[in-house]
Amino acid sequence: MRKIETIMDNWLFTGPYNKQTLVDLPHTWNAIDGQDGGNDYYRGSCTYEKTFPMPVFSRDERVYLQFHGINASAEIVLNGEAVCVHHGGYSTFRVDVTDRLQNENKIEIKVDNSVNTTVYPQKADFTFYGGIYRDIEILTVSALHFDMDYFAGPGIKYTTDVDGTNGYINVDTYLNQAAKNAGCTVKVTLTDADGNTVAQDDGPQTTLFVENVHLWDGLADPYLYKLTATLYNGDVAVDEISCNCGVRTFEFSIVDGFYLNGRRYPLHGVSRHQDWKGIGNAIDTEKMERDMALIREIGANTIRLAHYQHSQYFYDLCDRVGMIVWAEIPYISEHMPDGRENTISQMKELIIQNYNHPSIVMWGVSNEITISGKQHKKDMLDNHRVLNDLCHEMDPTRPTTLACYAMCTPFNPVSRITDLVGWNLYLGWYVPFLWLNDLWVKFYKFMYPQQRLCFSEYGAEGMPNLHSAKPHRGDHTEEYQAIYHEYMLKFFDRNPQIWANYVWNMFDFAADARDQGGEAGMNHKGLVSFDRKIKKDSFYLYKAWWNDEPMVHIAGKRYEYRTESTTTITVYSNQPQVSLYNNGKLIATKQAEKIFKFDVNMEAENHIEVTAGSLKDNAVIYKTETARPEYKVKKGKSRNWV
């Protein structure tokens, strides 16, 4: 009943310094300068223009322009008239343009990612790509339709309850004023994964009963029903909307973490930024699928979608594969007194547009908001209370959370506003001593035994071209990153009360203010390289820890040339026993838990093979007299993002 047409090709782009070119969407003007370092990428105003013919529609239909992501502020001008202004670079917005359409229509979109004090984010450890980086659509719908104007919501909302083996789906639908005036009626239908009708009822608000309900059960069984609402004018169906529907229960225990459908379900996962090398945020669905495949390969069961609203397609992916999701707005790093209205509007958009995703179990209100110091502290705390209350009012079914900066200290009142709290702790990377993680948690639980705690970020830089036989904190080697994560995985096993842990980050990402590890403009804490081509050794460590699929991996393959006479070979495997051979000779067979270490006397050329049952992996390393200078980061200026 609704017709959707994308308009993605042949836009006249007037870019930085008024240079004009034709571009296709999705597009960003910072795909190169936002990734090369220097903190000098273009932040300003650019314009996209296009003409399109009159859409085919009847007198009893309305035509909307729908925008799924324009960063950061956008002014929409149609046929010379401003029709819409939107502030916030990561959410959907739409505007009814029916009465302004002509035979030929010129659309002009003024996009601005300039520095300002009103639109978040403005200060953070990632690049704020400017541009139209998601789809633009012409959406034609009956004049009598489900509401489309309230923060670009879907027009339908559901919550679920479970009583024994029975399920209840509480459905609210929202009609536009014309449909209300016409006395339109609503029929709500629930179908199973095979398309069979399971439940049906009439009315804009209803509760559907499902006997022997099939639960949405995380990675093991992410079962989805389909919920459809049909709008009738008399006997004629005039509009229809639908969404996936997952029925589940969850809770966060102070004692032993997260529970899904009544059973303990330890959350272990990653954070994700959406950008790619040479592309920025202007990614397609194929790249989203690739990201999800890599996340699933390591066995993660939760994703923190940082630090902003992600694509609807990716939230749908999380529903389909069974990921538990932390969703958040980009209220980050530095409180801006003039930005309160923007935090509220972005939170409303996040909740309204994503309410129906069973994967989402918490709303994140901010990240590291105290990193810029104590200025405007009173206003910042009040802003958080407003957001926290807003989330509870709009969605009483999900708890709120936030992520605290490591130096925030557990005594900071911002850490006790939300229902849950996460801490971004890099103990063992930015500060010495990995054992501080254990000490910190013991202290925190002693001080606040009723506060539910997670590690919302933790990680270490790891460059796949940097190596050392004696890795140490700050050297950016692939080996130290692996040592760091070896410790942290054991640490989380020791602390089951931590309700989730999120590796920072699944993928390297652009942070144009950074200059570390010998490659400017990048944060290298990812388990996978920015172009998604290199799986670092830490990737395989997590795969051994979290994924039950049998695997074995030799770490340090890229550390080909070594000066030591005896070298340590580290192997990651989820099998109980691993054997290592050098040049065809058995060196040792060992039993261990995930991490196997072998000392090998080096020959000039070493063909290493490891076996774990029928599994094998191979590497070749060479004994050299002098150390390879390319394995060590060059001394010189090293700049963090702050």
Side-chain angles (χ1 to χ4, degrees):
M1 297 179 190
R2 296 184 175 189
K3 300 187 290 287
I4 296 179
E5 175 189 358
T6 59
I7 47 174
M8 306 292 286
D9 300 336
N10 296 316
W11 288 78
L12 177 63
F13 174 62
T14 303
Y17 319 112
N18 293 315
K19 182 180 179 181
Q20 290 191 326
T21 185
L22 285 177
V23 301
D24 295 335
L25 305 182
H27 176 262
T28 173
W29 61 75
N30 298 123
I32 304 301
D33 69 352
Q35 302 180 355
D36 61 0
N39 199 27
D40 56 356
Y41 66 101
Y42 182 82
R43 296 187 65 182
S45 182
C46 298
T47 304
Y48 298 81
E49 299 175 52
K50 183 180 178 65
T51 59
F52 62 92
M54 174 76 80
V56 178
F57 68 101
S58 61
R59 289 191 301 173
D60 58 356
E61 291 182 314
R62 306 297 294 179
V63 179
Y64 281 78
L65 290 175
Q66 183 163 264
F67 309 88
H68 289 289
I70 301 179
N71 198 42
S73 295
E75 180 183 1
I76 313 301
V77 179
L78 183 65
N79 298 323
E81 181 182 359
V83 296
C84 179
V85 174
H86 183 262
H87 299 294
Y90 305 99
S91 55
T92 295
F93 64 99
R94 58 174 76 108
V95 58
D96 185 338
V97 296
T98 313
D99 301 328
R100 297 178 175 90
L101 292 170
Q102 303 172 0
N103 289 334
E104 282 292 321
N105 299 277
K106 181 181 179 181
I107 181 173
E108 182 181 3
I109 304 176
K110 301 174 182 178
V111 184
D112 195 338
N113 69 337
S114 298
V115 176
N116 64 77
T117 60
T118 57
V119 181
Y120 287 95
Q122 289 298 323
K123 181 177 183 179
D125 185 25
F126 60 96
T127 295
F128 312 141
Y129 298 95
I132 305 175
Y133 67 97
R134 294 184 189 146
D135 289 1
I136 296 179
E137 297 165 336
I138 300 172
L139 192 159
T140 305
V141 64
S142 168
L144 310 175
H145 57 260
F146 292 102
D147 184 75
M148 298 174 60
D149 299 317
Y150 186 64
F151 291 94
I156 186 171
K157 180 179 79 171
Y158 76 87
T159 59
T160 64
D161 295 308
V162 178
D163 183 9
T165 61
N166 298 324
Y168 299 87
I169 295 110
N170 311 299
V171 184
D172 291 287
T173 59
Y174 305 93
L175 282 57
N176 75 332
Q177 193 60 49
K180 293 178 183 177
N181 294 342
C184 290
T185 59
V186 177
K187 182 181 290 293
V188 178
T189 304
L190 186 73
T191 53
D192 63 18
D194 296 321
N196 302 309
T197 298
V198 174
Q200 195 171 66
D201 199 9
D202 296 329
Q205 287 81 40
T206 186
T207 296
L208 302 178
F209 171 73
V210 183
E211 191 175 11
N212 296 318
V213 67
H214 195 150
L215 298 180
W216 186 91
D217 203 29
L219 295 179
D221 187 11
Y223 189 87
L224 292 171
Y225 293 92
K226 183 178 181 180
L227 188 62
T228 301
T230 307
L231 185 68
Y232 287 89
N233 183 20
D235 295 330
V236 179
V238 292
D239 193 20
E240 188 169 274
I241 52 178
S242 63
C243 64
N244 289 325
C245 176
V247 182
R248 81 284 188 265
T249 66
F250 65 88
E251 63 176 315
F252 293 86
S253 166
I254 295 170
V255 176
D256 55 0
F258 184 73
Y259 278 71
L260 178 66
N261 298 325
R263 77 182 190 283
R264 186 167 179 265
Y265 193 81
L267 294 179
H268 47 257
V270 298
S271 296
R272 173 193 181 249
H273 269 302
Q274 62 187 355
D275 61 331
W276 277 56
K277 184 177 180 64
I279 301 171
N281 282 351
I283 61 173
D284 56 23
T285 57
E286 181 182 354
K287 290 177 176 57
M288 296 184 211
E289 296 271 4
R290 174 63 175 156
D291 280 4
M292 181 60 80
L294 288 165
I295 293 170
R296 293 185 71 185
E297 185 179 344
I298 65 169
N301 63 8
T302 183
I303 308 176
R304 182 182 175 201
L305 291 177
H307 288 298
Y308 39 75
Q309 185 170 328
H310 285 232
S311 166
Q312 281 296 320
Y313 189 87
F314 202 83
Y315 290 117
D316 286 338
L317 272 180
C318 292
D319 292 342
R320 295 204 303 268
V321 306
M323 287 289 169
I324 299 294
V325 171
W326 168 328
E328 65 188 52
I329 60 170
Y331 182 24
I332 183 170
S333 301
E334 184 173 49
H335 172 73
M336 302 185 300
D338 296 332
R340 179 180 297 208
E341 181 180 344
N342 189 246
T343 67
I344 292 170
S345 65
Q346 291 206 49
M347 183 60 77
K348 287 181 177 179
E349 289 174 327
L350 178 70
I351 294 175
I352 291 166
Q353 294 174 20
N354 296 284
Y355 192 99
N356 296 328
H357 291 289
S359 57
I360 296 175
V361 301
M362 69 199 95
W363 303 117
V365 302
S366 72
N367 179 78
E368 295 190 347
I369 202 64
T370 61
I371 201 170
S372 296
K374 298 180 180 180
Q375 64 267 37
H376 313 299
K377 180 178 179 180
K378 184 178 179 180
D379 192 67
M380 178 270 289
L381 291 172
D382 188 60
N383 200 155
H384 277 74
R385 294 186 188 102
V386 168
L387 289 173
N388 191 59
D389 291 345
L390 175 67
C391 292
H392 289 148
E393 178 185 350
M394 296 183 69
D395 182 6
T397 72
R398 293 178 175 97
T400 55
T401 189
L402 56 71
C404 287
Y405 171 51
M407 302 304 291
C408 175
T409 82
F411 305 110
N412 195 302
V414 75
S415 71
R416 293 187 296 281
I417 292 175
T418 51
D419 303 313
L420 309 170
V421 64
W423 290 87
N424 299 347
L425 295 177
Y426 295 90
L427 307 174
W429 177 246
Y430 288 125
V431 297
F433 312 128
L434 282 160
W435 52 262
L436 285 175
N437 289 280
D438 296 85
L439 186 63
W440 193 94
V441 168
K442 288 180 181 178
F443 170 76
Y444 189 87
K445 295 305 291 185
F446 174 77
M447 294 299 300
Y448 304 106
Q450 298 305 308
Q451 178 68 61
R452 291 167 290 191
L453 171 69
C454 95
F455 273 47
S456 41
E457 293 181 21
Y458 67 98
E461 306 272 332
M463 297 286 290
N465 62 309
L466 301 179
H467 303 284
S468 174
K470 297 180 179 180
H472 61 271
R473 183 181 69 88
D475 67 5
H476 295 263
T477 61
E478 189 172 17
E479 286 72 32
Y480 183 77
Q481 185 191 48
I483 289 171
Y484 171 93
H485 285 292
E486 288 174 11
Y487 185 94
M488 294 305 295
L489 281 165
K490 295 175 184 177
F491 162 75
F492 291 120
D493 284 349
R494 292 193 297 272
N495 291 277
Q497 77 276 15
I498 295 175
W499 59 260
N501 55 281
Y502 294 94
V503 178
W504 191 261
N505 196 285
M506 182 64 194
F507 309 104
D508 291 347
F509 60 91
D512 201 52
R514 280 183 174 263
D515 188 358
Q516 294 185 311
E519 183 183 18
M522 298 291 301
N523 187 312
H524 300 106
K525 294 186 183 70
L527 305 181
V528 179
S529 62
F530 195 21
D531 59 9
R532 278 59 170 179
K533 293 181 179 179
I534 297 175
K535 300 172 182 176
K536 303 177 190 179
D537 285 336
S538 296
F539 175 96
Y540 293 97
L541 170 66
Y542 278 91
K543 185 174 180 178
W545 222 270
W546 292 345
N547 191 336
D548 292 335
E549 181 182 353
M551 58 82 63
V552 64
H553 170 77
I554 300 172
K557 291 179 183 178
R558 284 175 280 270
Y559 184 18
E560 291 183 88
Y561 300 95
R562 310 187 185 192
T563 58
E564 58 267 27
S565 298
T566 300
T567 192
T568 299
I569 303 293
T570 299
V571 178
Y572 299 136
S573 179
N574 52 18
Q575 300 302 290
Q577 182 171 289
V578 171
S579 298
L580 183 142
Y581 300 81
N582 184 23
N583 295 328
K585 179 182 177 182
L586 176 65
I587 302 301
T589 296
K590 292 193 174 184
Q591 295 179 339
E593 184 68 26
K594 315 297 185 185
I595 304 167
F596 301 78
K597 293 187 181 290
F598 298 86
D599 290 331
V600 176
N601 295 323
M602 293 278 279
E603 301 178 24
E605 186 172 318
N606 303 269
H607 291 260
I608 305 296
E609 180 179 82
V610 295
T611 63
S614 62
L615 302 173
K616 292 183 180 182
D617 196 21
N618 297 276
V620 180
I621 58 176
Y622 302 91
K623 174 74 168 65
T624 61
E625 296 302 319
T626 57
R628 291 291 176 115
E630 63 267 28
Y631 286 170
K632 188 175 182 180
V633 66
K634 295 179 180 178
K635 292 184 178 180
K637 182 177 67 174
S638 179
R639 173 184 168 86
N640 204 329
W641 70 278
V642 288

